[in-house]
């Protein structure tokens, strides 16, 4: 007779641990995927599948070429190959022309190594930063409009310290821009 109590307890602990890890990955707002060195998807979380308009089952066991349009698949494979080649983490901003429009991912890919040092998998963790990039573009445009305005513009923080003035303000008041920073607008009195 063989007592399997410890074996069964270990299996149960592993099952609970695996379920928790899967729950963390599937409830993450990050896109998470694992690919083997040939590019086949070994794991993809629900967020990544949703981002690419696929089901998890549709992505598993397939390469990017089998899942996505040519240019997108080529870009993603090139990123994976860079990880295989360098065997280090690689961070990128990937602009992807998807059917619903251009989307931007801030991605980090890194190798998962086997005990012998061989690359076993490539892990992808990415955040969709499309909205952030759009806000940044709008802010740059606003800054250009303010800078090129003919009127003097002064921007203060909540404590009424000057944090920005445009060139017209400096020209009109006779102050150097750097002289005004940190002062109150009362300096103009």
């Amino acid at each position: 007779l063989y007592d399997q109590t410890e074996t069964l307890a270990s299996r149960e602990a592993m099952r609970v641990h695996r379920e928790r890890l899967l729950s963390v990955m599937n409830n993450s707002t990050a896109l998470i995927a694992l690919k083997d060195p040939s590019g086949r998807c070994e794991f993809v979380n629900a967020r990544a599948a949703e981002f690419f308009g696929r089901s998890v089952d549709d992505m598993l066991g397939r390469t990017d070429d089998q899942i996505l349009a040519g240019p997108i698949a080529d870009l993603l494979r090139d990123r994976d190959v860079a990880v295989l080649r360098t065997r280090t983490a690689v961070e990128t901003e990937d602009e992807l022309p998807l059917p619903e429009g251009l989307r931007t991912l801030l991605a980090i890919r890194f190798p998962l190594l086997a005990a012998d040092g061989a690359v076993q998998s490539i892990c992808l963790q990415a955040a969709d930063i499309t909205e952030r990039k759009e806000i940044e573009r709008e802010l740059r445009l606003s800054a250009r409009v303010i800078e090129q305005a003919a009127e003097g513009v002064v921007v203060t923080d909540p404590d009424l310290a000057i944090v920005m003035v445009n060139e017209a303000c400096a020209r009109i008041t006779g102050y150097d821009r750097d002289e005004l920073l940190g002062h109150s607008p009362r300096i103009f009195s």
Side-chain angles (χ1 to χ4, degrees):
L1 283 176
Y2 177 70
D3 185 2
Q4 294 186 0
T5 304
E6 286 184 30
T7 302
L8 293 174
S10 292
R11 285 183 185 161
E12 179 60 16
M14 288 295 290
R15 184 191 65 75
V16 168
H17 180 72
R18 195 172 18 249
E19 283 178 6
R20 283 185 184 162
L21 184 57
L22 188 60
S23 180
V24 166
M25 290 192 291
N26 276 326
N27 287 293
S28 174
T29 58
L31 287 67
I32 302 173
L34 286 176
K35 298 177 192 173
D36 69 19
S38 68
R40 293 203 180 283
C41 190
E42 299 175 316
F43 172 82
V44 62
N45 72 345
R47 176 69 182 109
E50 174 190 330
F51 179 85
F52 289 110
R54 305 291 181 156
S55 70
V56 170
D57 290 338
D58 188 38
M59 296 179 75
L60 293 176
R62 295 182 180 197
T63 64
D64 292 331
D65 282 330
Q66 296 169 319
I67 300 169
L68 303 166
I72 298 171
D74 293 343
L75 172 71
L76 297 179
R77 183 62 187 158
D78 288 347
R79 302 292 201 221
D80 292 344
V81 169
V83 172
L84 290 171
R85 191 175 51 254
T86 63
R87 299 170 55 87
T88 61
V90 176
E91 188 171 323
T92 58
E93 273 190 22
D94 303 331
E95 288 192 340
L96 307 176
L98 298 175
E100 64 275 4
L102 188 67
R103 306 296 295 179
T104 305
L105 293 179
L106 177 59
I108 184 159
R109 293 171 179 82
F110 54 90
L112 299 180
L113 304 177
D116 65 359
V119 176
Q120 195 169 18
S121 297
I122 300 161
C123 183
L124 163 73
Q125 295 177 8
D128 182 355
I129 61 168
T130 305
E131 289 177 16
R132 185 180 93 192
K133 295 298 279 186
E134 184 58 33
I135 290 168
E136 289 172 359
R137 277 190 281 279
E138 290 172 7
L139 286 173
R140 282 191 301 274
L141 176 61
S142 295
R144 281 197 309 269
V145 168
I146 289 171
E147 188 54 42
Q148 294 174 4
E151 299 83 12
V153 177
V154 175
V155 178
T156 65
D157 67 13
D159 297 323
L160 295 180
I162 297 172
V163 294
M164 197 272 304
V165 296
N166 69 352
E167 187 60 36
C169 177
R171 187 179 63 255
I172 292 167
T173 64
Y175 285 100
D176 184 64
R177 292 170 84 166
D178 291 335
E179 287 180 84
L180 295 171
L181 298 180
H183 288 89
S184 164
R186 290 181 210 183
I187 196 170
F188 301 123
S189 304

